């Protein structure tokens, strides 16, 4: 509003001020030597055209760069395959699911029911999942003394169950994934991602190494856990995150979580699959509702919302600026030509082409 008001006053009062200070002698000579405009008016028009075209080109270049950046953002590797992947979240009440055995039993029953649904290729659960928040933890290598809390190394922590990595199509680079033998009473095991392997185990094979990790179990604290596998890195918090934390994965059988996300890879439509998931959940525990059920592709597109809006606005403004610059340039050339009509007429009368 302020810019519009200033523009109205400037471009309304300035010509009026110029008209009130007209040079009478110059006006009497109009037509005798082409245009009767004073040199200052010509310079002002020239500078307006130069500024208009320069600003338009700047905006067009900026819009092109933003569109190119957005195109590159869409081509970034997420580390997982969001297509044909459906997600649904649910919350287990603590009063009923107050230990790891109950949670693990529920998760196994749900995965078995969902996995037998026609059209479902694989299913898994996790504590959060990509683009759904996160949980961080500290860690240190076994051969090093335990650091102070302020000096502790940090990583993202993901608690998973079922065929998590195959469902998200995350490659296993070394070792193995979790299996039925990884229970609450078995030795604690973890899987790390490629970023952690490169950052904290350069030139080493991390399989078999142990880290002190707190997975969030009540009254347990940090426990030495053996690395059994290395998987590819995923973009967890944002598609364009520049320096993501490394990730530690823990089995749901060994970590306590009541807020879970179900991942289902299927060839079914979203609406049919959502009903099947709700039916499977109700058949196990009728008091558990699902929420935030939608395809993973929707979550990825949502994370691009700000960049998409910026690209759209830049494109619209650049297009408007180009149209305004074209109209302004046409108007100036038409005005200049009109002022020279008498001169051109005289030249034609004298034989000019």
């Amino acid at each position: 509003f302020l810019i519009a008001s200033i523009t109205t006053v400037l471009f309304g009062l300035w010509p009026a001020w110029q008209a009130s200070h007209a040079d009478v002698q110059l006006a009497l000579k109009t037509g005798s030597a082409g245009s009767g405009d004073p040199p200052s008016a010509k310079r002002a028009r020239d500078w307006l055209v130069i500024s208009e075209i320069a600003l338009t080109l700047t905006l067009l270049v900026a819009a092109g760069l933003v569109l190119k950046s957005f195109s590159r953002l869409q081509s970034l590797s997420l580390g997982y395959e969001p297509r044909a992947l459906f997600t649904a979240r649910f919350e287990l009440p603590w009063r009923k699911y107050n230990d790891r055995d109950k949670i693990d039993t529920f998760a196994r029953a749900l995965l078995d029911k969902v996995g037998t649904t026609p059209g479902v290729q694989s299913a898994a659960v996790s504590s959060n999942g990509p683009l759904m928040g996160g949980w961080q933890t500290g860690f240190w290598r076994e051969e090093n003394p335990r650091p102070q809390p302020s000096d502790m190394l940090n990583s993202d922590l993901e608690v998973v169950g079922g065929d998590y990595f195959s469902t998200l199509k995350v490659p296993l680079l070394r070792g193995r994934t979790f299996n039925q033998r990884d229970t609450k009473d078995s030795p604690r095991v973890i899987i790390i991602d490629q970023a952690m392997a490169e950052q904290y185990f350069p030139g080493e094979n991390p399989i078999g190494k142990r880290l002190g990790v707190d997975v969030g179990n009540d009254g347990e604290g940090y426990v030495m856990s053996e690395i059994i596998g290395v998987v590819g890195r995923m973009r967890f918090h944002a598609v364009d995150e520049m320096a993501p934390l490394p990730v530690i994965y823990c089995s749901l059988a060994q970590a306590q979580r009541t807020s879970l996300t179900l991942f289902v890879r299927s060839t079914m439509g979203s609406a049919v699959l959502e009903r099947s998931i709700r039916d499977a959940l109700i058949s196990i525990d009728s008091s558990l509702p699902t929420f935030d059920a939608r395809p993973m592709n929707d979550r990825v597109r949502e994370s691009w919302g700000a960049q998409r809006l910026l690209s759209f606005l830049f494109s619209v403004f650049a297009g408007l600026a180009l149209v305004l610059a074209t109209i302004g340039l046409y108007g100036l050339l038409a005005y200049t030509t009109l002022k020279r009509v008498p001169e051109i007429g005289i030249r034609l009368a004298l034989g000019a082409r």
Side-chain angles (χ1 to χ4, degrees):
F1 176 78
L2 181 63
I3 294 175
S5 301
I6 293 175
T7 304
T8 302
V9 171
L10 178 63
F11 289 95
L13 293 183
W14 185 33
W17 179 81
Q18 282 192 322
S20 65
H21 293 76
D23 189 338
V24 178
Q25 291 185 353
L26 185 63
L28 292 175
K29 296 178 181 178
T30 299
S32 62
S35 173
D37 292 335
S40 60
K42 295 179 181 179
R43 285 195 300 270
R45 280 199 302 270
D46 291 343
W47 279 110
L48 283 174
V49 172
I50 291 171
S51 303
E52 188 175 35
I53 294 176
L55 290 173
T56 301
L57 288 176
T58 302
L59 194 54
L60 286 172
V61 170
L65 291 174
V66 169
L67 290 173
K68 185 176 181 180
S69 299
F70 184 58
S71 176
R72 287 187 174 181
L73 176 65
Q74 290 181 305
S75 64
L76 285 176
S77 173
L78 300 173
Y80 56 92
E81 178 52 69
R83 289 173 293 186
L85 187 63
F86 191 82
T87 63
R89 308 179 78 171
F90 54 92
E91 190 80 30
L92 301 178
W94 174 247
R95 290 183 178 180
K96 187 174 182 179
Y97 299 92
N98 51 14
D99 62 47
R100 278 171 277 175
D101 288 334
K102 293 179 180 179
I103 296 172
D104 189 45
T105 301
F106 169 84
R108 290 177 189 274
L110 177 62
L111 292 176
D112 288 341
K113 280 190 172 293
V114 173
T116 57
T117 304
V120 172
Q121 299 169 348
S122 60
V125 293
S126 79
S127 54
N128 289 293
L131 309 179
M132 300 181 205
W135 181 300
Q136 292 185 7
T137 186
F139 71 93
W140 76 93
R141 293 185 59 164
E142 182 183 30
E143 57 269 28
N144 299 329
R146 177 172 176 170
Q148 295 296 321
S150 59
D151 300 325
M152 193 81 69
L153 300 173
N154 290 317
S155 75
D156 282 324
L157 178 68
E158 188 72 7
V159 179
V160 302
D163 300 325
Y164 180 80
F165 299 108
S166 61
T167 300
L168 271 69
K169 293 191 176 181
V170 180
L172 176 66
L173 306 179
R174 286 184 179 182
R176 67 173 178 88
T177 59
F178 301 120
N179 56 36
Q180 302 289 340
R181 297 189 300 273
D182 301 319
T183 64
K184 180 181 71 172
D185 301 320
S186 64
R188 185 66 54 80
V189 292
I190 57 173
I191 295 173
I192 63 174
D193 72 340
Q194 185 180 6
M196 176 170 283
E198 293 175 352
Q199 188 172 353
Y200 297 106
F201 299 93
E204 301 179 62
N205 182 5
I207 304 300
K209 302 292 176 60
R210 284 156 57 90
L211 300 178
V213 181
D214 182 2
V215 298
N217 292 332
D218 292 339
E220 189 176 76
Y222 288 90
V223 176
M224 282 295 164
S225 306
E226 181 183 350
I227 300 173
I228 60 170
V230 179
V231 296
R233 68 184 74 191
M234 288 192 284
R235 295 180 182 272
F236 261 86
H237 301 295
V239 176
D240 58 347
E241 58 182 335
M242 299 302 295
L245 288 173
V247 185
I248 295 175
Y249 299 92
C250 182
S251 172
L252 183 62
Q254 297 183 337
Q256 200 168 314
R257 292 292 188 276
T258 55
S259 179
L260 297 174
T261 302
L262 176 66
F263 294 88
V264 181
R265 185 165 294 280
S266 171
T267 56
M268 301 168 60
S270 297
V272 178
L273 186 57
E274 184 177 354
R275 285 197 301 270
S276 300
I277 292 173
R278 292 184 189 277
D279 293 342
L281 196 62
I282 290 173
S283 67
I284 302 172
D285 189 337
S286 59
S287 64
L288 290 180
T290 60
F291 63 96
D292 196 20
R294 50 182 170 148
M296 192 67 197
N297 258 338
D298 289 355
R299 300 185 189 277
V300 174
R301 282 193 292 267
E302 188 179 83
S303 69
W304 290 337
Q307 291 85 354
R308 184 184 292 108
L309 177 61
L310 185 63
S311 302
F312 173 75
L313 290 177
F314 259 110
S315 301
V316 170
F317 289 145
L320 289 175
L322 182 61
V323 171
L324 290 175
T326 304
I327 295 174
L329 188 60
Y330 170 80
L332 179 65
L333 291 175
Y335 174 78
T336 304
T337 305
L338 185 63
K339 298 288 287 185
R340 294 188 60 190
V341 164
E343 174 193 344
I344 294 172
I346 294 173
R347 288 174 180 272
L348 289 173
L350 296 177
R353 297 179 61 191

